[in-house]
Amino acid sequence: MDRRQQKTRTAIFSAFSTLLAKKSYSKITVQDIIDVANVGRTTFYAHFETKDDLLKALCEELFGHIISTAMDCTHTHGLYSNQNVPESVFCHLLQHLQENDRNIIGLLSCESSEIFLRYFKDSLNELIQSQFVDQNRKVNTDLPQDFLINHISGSFVEMVLWWIRGHMKQTPAELDRYFRAVIEPIL
């Protein structure tokens, strides 16, 4: 994708995020998006077939970026200039959420949050499988793997929502400790 296309795509994502902060997903029209993004209808449809495709692409980009950088502990965004990189991938993920890169906290707590929470949870599944279930599973080996992954990702999402509702008072390290204390016994 060339720079011009990337700039247009970024403008559309930004416009869509701005609109989502103001009204529910179901009330946003393609016309609303192109008006705020200041692009033509043809340009919008050159990038996305539908509003749903835009939503999917936005979620894949947001959550894919956060999950992949959490898995790659060498990619630190300058988060650890005065400290060591955390051992836990979940602590790293929570630090990215705390940074609120691309207004992800706003999307997870907006009127249309259920859509984003579903994508977030789905994005977590691969991370949970590779970091916990495949590597550390010592107990409950008779439980289906997909059940454990679903349980752990759901628990993590609920913890993040609890954190957001409480105005993010706990540090990522504290939350990571809480989360690991709850899930490690089941693995």
Side-chain angles (χ1 to χ4, degrees), residues 101-121:
D101 190 25
R102 302 178 194 181
N103 192 32
I104 197 162
I105 298 299
L107 295 175
L108 291 175
S109 58
C110 73
E111 190 176 334
S112 302
S113 66
E114 70 283 346
I115 297 165
F116 294 99
L117 293 170
R118 186 181 69 240
Y119 276 104
F120 183 41
K121 185 177 173 291

PDB file of all heavy atoms in Angstrom, residues 101-121:
ATOM      1  N   ASP A 101      -2.963   3.582  23.111  1.00  0.00           N
ATOM      2  CA  ASP A 101      -2.584   3.737  21.713  1.00  0.00           C
ATOM      3  C   ASP A 101      -3.831   3.676  20.836  1.00  0.00           C
ATOM      4  O   ASP A 101      -4.642   2.772  20.955  1.00  0.00           O
ATOM      5  CB  ASP A 101      -1.608   2.615  21.335  1.00  0.00           C
ATOM      6  CG  ASP A 101      -0.970   2.815  19.994  1.00  0.00           C
ATOM      7  OD1 ASP A 101      -0.871   3.971  19.535  1.00  0.00           O
ATOM      8  OD2 ASP A 101      -0.559   1.806  19.389  1.00  0.00           O
ATOM      9  N   ARG A 102      -4.003   4.689  20.012  1.00  0.00           N
ATOM     10  CA  ARG A 102      -5.115   4.770  19.055  1.00  0.00           C
ATOM     11  C   ARG A 102      -6.482   4.753  19.735  1.00  0.00           C
ATOM     12  O   ARG A 102      -7.447   4.212  19.216  1.00  0.00           O
ATOM     13  CB  ARG A 102      -5.017   3.635  18.035  1.00  0.00           C
ATOM     14  CG  ARG A 102      -3.708   3.648  17.280  1.00  0.00           C
ATOM     15  CD  ARG A 102      -3.619   2.506  16.335  1.00  0.00           C
ATOM     16  NE  ARG A 102      -2.255   2.370  15.880  1.00  0.00           N
ATOM     17  CZ  ARG A 102      -1.859   1.459  15.026  1.00  0.00           C
ATOM     18  NH1 ARG A 102      -2.702   0.615  14.524  1.00  0.00           N
ATOM     19  NH2 ARG A 102      -0.607   1.398  14.664  1.00  0.00           N
ATOM     20  N   ASN A 103      -6.542   5.302  20.934  1.00  0.00           N
ATOM     21  CA  ASN A 103      -7.788   5.439  21.689  1.00  0.00           C
ATOM     22  C   ASN A 103      -8.510   4.112  21.914  1.00  0.00           C
ATOM     23  O   ASN A 103      -9.732   4.043  21.916  1.00  0.00           O
ATOM     24  CB  ASN A 103      -8.739   6.440  21.015  1.00  0.00           C
ATOM     25  CG  ASN A 103      -9.883   6.814  21.919  1.00  0.00           C
ATOM     26  OD1 ASN A 103      -9.737   6.860  23.137  1.00  0.00           O
ATOM     27  ND2 ASN A 103     -11.040   7.060  21.340  1.00  0.00           N
ATOM     28  N   ILE A 104      -7.746   3.059  22.125  1.00  0.00           N
ATOM     29  CA  ILE A 104      -8.364   1.746  22.313  1.00  0.00           C
ATOM     30  C   ILE A 104      -9.245   1.688  23.550  1.00  0.00           C
ATOM     31  O   ILE A 104     -10.288   1.039  23.551  1.00  0.00           O
ATOM     32  CB  ILE A 104      -7.299   0.632  22.315  1.00  0.00           C
ATOM     33  CG1 ILE A 104      -7.973  -0.714  22.096  1.00  0.00           C
ATOM     34  CG2 ILE A 104      -6.479   0.648  23.581  1.00  0.00           C
ATOM     35  CD1 ILE A 104      -7.047  -1.800  21.671  1.00  0.00           C
ATOM     36  N   ILE A 105      -8.891   2.415  24.613  1.00  0.00           N
ATOM     37  CA  ILE A 105      -9.708   2.425  25.826  1.00  0.00           C
ATOM     38  C   ILE A 105     -11.076   3.040  25.523  1.00  0.00           C
ATOM     39  O   ILE A 105     -12.107   2.541  25.975  1.00  0.00           O
ATOM     40  CB  ILE A 105      -9.005   3.184  26.979  1.00  0.00           C
ATOM     41  CG1 ILE A 105      -7.686   2.501  27.348  1.00  0.00           C
ATOM     42  CG2 ILE A 105      -9.911   3.314  28.196  1.00  0.00           C
ATOM     43  CD1 ILE A 105      -7.803   1.073  27.831  1.00  0.00           C
ATOM     44  N   GLY A 106     -11.092   4.089  24.732  1.00  0.00           N
ATOM     45  CA  GLY A 106     -12.359   4.699  24.337  1.00  0.00           C
ATOM     46  C   GLY A 106     -13.238   3.730  23.564  1.00  0.00           C
ATOM     47  O   GLY A 106     -14.451   3.669  23.775  1.00  0.00           O
ATOM     48  N   LEU A 107     -12.640   2.955  22.682  1.00  0.00           N
ATOM     49  CA  LEU A 107     -13.409   1.993  21.898  1.00  0.00           C
ATOM     50  C   LEU A 107     -13.919   0.845  22.765  1.00  0.00           C
ATOM     51  O   LEU A 107     -15.027   0.358  22.559  1.00  0.00           O
ATOM     52  CB  LEU A 107     -12.563   1.453  20.735  1.00  0.00           C
ATOM     53  CG  LEU A 107     -12.183   2.482  19.680  1.00  0.00           C
ATOM     54  CD1 LEU A 107     -11.251   1.878  18.656  1.00  0.00           C
ATOM     55  CD2 LEU A 107     -13.418   3.067  19.005  1.00  0.00           C
ATOM     56  N   LEU A 108     -13.121   0.422  23.733  1.00  0.00           N
ATOM     57  CA  LEU A 108     -13.548  -0.673  24.611  1.00  0.00           C
ATOM     58  C   LEU A 108     -14.619  -0.240  25.602  1.00  0.00           C
ATOM     59  O   LEU A 108     -15.292  -1.082  26.194  1.00  0.00           O
ATOM     60  CB  LEU A 108     -12.344  -1.254  25.368  1.00  0.00           C
ATOM     61  CG  LEU A 108     -11.328  -2.016  24.531  1.00  0.00           C
ATOM     62  CD1 LEU A 108     -10.135  -2.435  25.383  1.00  0.00           C
ATOM     63  CD2 LEU A 108     -11.949  -3.223  23.846  1.00  0.00           C
ATOM     64  N   SER A 109     -14.791   1.063  25.782  1.00  0.00           N
ATOM     65  CA  SER A 109     -15.778   1.535  26.740  1.00  0.00           C
ATOM     66  C   SER A 109     -16.862   2.417  26.105  1.00  0.00           C
ATOM     67  O   SER A 109     -17.681   2.987  26.817  1.00  0.00           O
ATOM     68  CB  SER A 109     -15.088   2.298  27.879  1.00  0.00           C
ATOM     69  OG  SER A 109     -14.350   3.387  27.379  1.00  0.00           O
ATOM     70  N   CYS A 110     -16.903   2.504  24.782  1.00  0.00           N
ATOM     71  CA  CYS A 110     -17.904   3.344  24.110  1.00  0.00           C
ATOM     72  C   CYS A 110     -19.253   2.625  24.043  1.00  0.00           C
ATOM     73  O   CYS A 110     -19.391   1.472  24.438  1.00  0.00           O
ATOM     74  CB  CYS A 110     -17.429   3.740  22.713  1.00  0.00           C
ATOM     75  SG  CYS A 110     -17.468   2.407  21.489  1.00  0.00           S
ATOM     76  N   GLU A 111     -20.237   3.312  23.490  1.00  0.00           N
ATOM     77  CA  GLU A 111     -21.582   2.772  23.377  1.00  0.00           C
ATOM     78  C   GLU A 111     -21.609   1.469  22.558  1.00  0.00           C
ATOM     79  O   GLU A 111     -22.430   0.596  22.796  1.00  0.00           O
ATOM     80  CB  GLU A 111     -22.494   3.821  22.726  1.00  0.00           C
ATOM     81  CG  GLU A 111     -23.957   3.481  22.763  1.00  0.00           C
ATOM     82  CD  GLU A 111     -24.824   4.583  22.192  1.00  0.00           C
ATOM     83  OE1 GLU A 111     -24.412   5.761  22.223  1.00  0.00           O
ATOM     84  OE2 GLU A 111     -25.913   4.251  21.714  1.00  0.00           O
ATOM     85  N   SER A 112     -20.697   1.332  21.605  1.00  0.00           N
ATOM     86  CA  SER A 112     -20.617   0.134  20.762  1.00  0.00           C
ATOM     87  C   SER A 112     -19.561  -0.845  21.251  1.00  0.00           C
ATOM     88  O   SER A 112     -19.064  -1.667  20.494  1.00  0.00           O
ATOM     89  CB  SER A 112     -20.297   0.549  19.323  1.00  0.00           C
ATOM     90  OG  SER A 112     -21.262   1.431  18.829  1.00  0.00           O
ATOM     91  N   SER A 113     -19.241  -0.782  22.518  1.00  0.00           N
ATOM     92  CA  SER A 113     -18.119  -1.557  23.052  1.00  0.00           C
ATOM     93  C   SER A 113     -18.251  -3.058  22.863  1.00  0.00           C
ATOM     94  O   SER A 113     -17.241  -3.749  22.709  1.00  0.00           O
ATOM     95  CB  SER A 113     -17.906  -1.236  24.529  1.00  0.00           C
ATOM     96  OG  SER A 113     -19.014  -1.671  25.284  1.00  0.00           O
ATOM     97  N   GLU A 114     -19.482  -3.581  22.857  1.00  0.00           N
ATOM     98  CA  GLU A 114     -19.634  -5.036  22.743  1.00  0.00           C
ATOM     99  C   GLU A 114     -18.989  -5.570  21.465  1.00  0.00           C
ATOM    100  O   GLU A 114     -18.419  -6.662  21.458  1.00  0.00           O
ATOM    101  CB  GLU A 114     -21.108  -5.459  22.835  1.00  0.00           C
ATOM    102  CG  GLU A 114     -21.981  -5.085  21.660  1.00  0.00           C
ATOM    103  CD  GLU A 114     -22.411  -3.602  21.609  1.00  0.00           C
ATOM    104  OE1 GLU A 114     -22.273  -2.888  22.606  1.00  0.00           O
ATOM    105  OE2 GLU A 114     -22.877  -3.180  20.541  1.00  0.00           O
ATOM    106  N   ILE A 115     -19.013  -4.808  20.407  1.00  0.00           N
ATOM    107  CA  ILE A 115     -18.385  -5.213  19.147  1.00  0.00           C
ATOM    108  C   ILE A 115     -16.876  -5.302  19.329  1.00  0.00           C
ATOM    109  O   ILE A 115     -16.253  -6.286  18.948  1.00  0.00           O
ATOM    110  CB  ILE A 115     -18.729  -4.194  18.031  1.00  0.00           C
ATOM    111  CG1 ILE A 115     -20.237  -4.178  17.772  1.00  0.00           C
ATOM    112  CG2 ILE A 115     -17.951  -4.500  16.765  1.00  0.00           C
ATOM    113  CD1 ILE A 115     -20.710  -2.991  16.965  1.00  0.00           C
ATOM    114  N   PHE A 116     -16.296  -4.290  19.933  1.00  0.00           N
ATOM    115  CA  PHE A 116     -14.849  -4.255  20.128  1.00  0.00           C
ATOM    116  C   PHE A 116     -14.394  -5.295  21.147  1.00  0.00           C
ATOM    117  O   PHE A 116     -13.342  -5.905  20.994  1.00  0.00           O
ATOM    118  CB  PHE A 116     -14.392  -2.852  20.531  1.00  0.00           C
ATOM    119  CG  PHE A 116     -14.608  -1.876  19.430  1.00  0.00           C
ATOM    120  CD1 PHE A 116     -15.719  -1.052  19.421  1.00  0.00           C
ATOM    121  CD2 PHE A 116     -13.725  -1.807  18.363  1.00  0.00           C
ATOM    122  CE1 PHE A 116     -15.938  -0.179  18.379  1.00  0.00           C
ATOM    123  CE2 PHE A 116     -13.942  -0.931  17.321  1.00  0.00           C
ATOM    124  CZ  PHE A 116     -15.056  -0.118  17.323  1.00  0.00           C
ATOM    125  N   LEU A 117     -15.199  -5.492  22.164  1.00  0.00           N
ATOM    126  CA  LEU A 117     -14.849  -6.490  23.176  1.00  0.00           C
ATOM    127  C   LEU A 117     -14.813  -7.895  22.571  1.00  0.00           C
ATOM    128  O   LEU A 117     -13.949  -8.699  22.905  1.00  0.00           O
ATOM    129  CB  LEU A 117     -15.822  -6.427  24.348  1.00  0.00           C
ATOM    130  CG  LEU A 117     -15.741  -5.143  25.170  1.00  0.00           C
ATOM    131  CD1 LEU A 117     -16.901  -5.052  26.149  1.00  0.00           C
ATOM    132  CD2 LEU A 117     -14.408  -5.056  25.892  1.00  0.00           C
ATOM    133  N   ARG A 118     -15.737  -8.180  21.664  1.00  0.00           N
ATOM    134  CA  ARG A 118     -15.743  -9.486  20.995  1.00  0.00           C
ATOM    135  C   ARG A 118     -14.471  -9.669  20.165  1.00  0.00           C
ATOM    136  O   ARG A 118     -13.810 -10.702  20.226  1.00  0.00           O
ATOM    137  CB  ARG A 118     -16.990  -9.639  20.126  1.00  0.00           C
ATOM    138  CG  ARG A 118     -17.119 -11.030  19.513  1.00  0.00           C
ATOM    139  CD  ARG A 118     -18.340 -11.193  18.642  1.00  0.00           C
ATOM    140  NE  ARG A 118     -18.193 -10.407  17.432  1.00  0.00           N
ATOM    141  CZ  ARG A 118     -19.000  -9.426  17.044  1.00  0.00           C
ATOM    142  NH1 ARG A 118     -20.026  -9.082  17.778  1.00  0.00           N
ATOM    143  NH2 ARG A 118     -18.786  -8.771  15.924  1.00  0.00           N
ATOM    144  N   TYR A 119     -14.107  -8.657  19.397  1.00  0.00           N
ATOM    145  CA  TYR A 119     -12.877  -8.730  18.595  1.00  0.00           C
ATOM    146  C   TYR A 119     -11.644  -8.819  19.490  1.00  0.00           C
ATOM    147  O   TYR A 119     -10.699  -9.550  19.189  1.00  0.00           O
ATOM    148  CB  TYR A 119     -12.753  -7.522  17.660  1.00  0.00           C
ATOM    149  CG  TYR A 119     -13.508  -7.667  16.367  1.00  0.00           C
ATOM    150  CD1 TYR A 119     -14.707  -6.999  16.154  1.00  0.00           C
ATOM    151  CD2 TYR A 119     -13.019  -8.462  15.329  1.00  0.00           C
ATOM    152  CE1 TYR A 119     -15.412  -7.124  14.961  1.00  0.00           C
ATOM    153  CE2 TYR A 119     -13.706  -8.591  14.139  1.00  0.00           C
ATOM    154  CZ  TYR A 119     -14.905  -7.916  13.963  1.00  0.00           C
ATOM    155  OH  TYR A 119     -15.574  -8.051  12.776  1.00  0.00           O
ATOM    156  N   PHE A 120     -11.633  -8.074  20.567  1.00  0.00           N
ATOM    157  CA  PHE A 120     -10.511  -8.096  21.501  1.00  0.00           C
ATOM    158  C   PHE A 120     -10.344  -9.505  22.075  1.00  0.00           C
ATOM    159  O   PHE A 120      -9.251 -10.059  22.109  1.00  0.00           O
ATOM    160  CB  PHE A 120     -10.750  -7.066  22.606  1.00  0.00           C
ATOM    161  CG  PHE A 120      -9.641  -6.928  23.613  1.00  0.00           C
ATOM    162  CD1 PHE A 120      -8.307  -6.938  23.233  1.00  0.00           C
ATOM    163  CD2 PHE A 120      -9.944  -6.764  24.960  1.00  0.00           C
ATOM    164  CE1 PHE A 120      -7.289  -6.792  24.178  1.00  0.00           C
ATOM    165  CE2 PHE A 120      -8.934  -6.618  25.900  1.00  0.00           C
ATOM    166  CZ  PHE A 120      -7.609  -6.644  25.504  1.00  0.00           C
ATOM    167  N   LYS A 121     -11.456 -10.083  22.516  1.00  0.00           N
ATOM    168  CA  LYS A 121     -11.420 -11.427  23.079  1.00  0.00           C
ATOM    169  C   LYS A 121     -10.920 -12.434  22.042  1.00  0.00           C
ATOM    170  O   LYS A 121     -10.064 -13.272  22.337  1.00  0.00           O
ATOM    171  CB  LYS A 121     -12.800 -11.820  23.585  1.00  0.00           C
ATOM    172  CG  LYS A 121     -12.854 -13.148  24.295  1.00  0.00           C
ATOM    173  CD  LYS A 121     -14.269 -13.394  24.815  1.00  0.00           C
ATOM    174  CE  LYS A 121     -14.407 -14.776  25.366  1.00  0.00           C
ATOM    175  NZ  LYS A 121     -14.348 -15.820  24.365  1.00  0.00           N
TER     176      LYS A 121
END
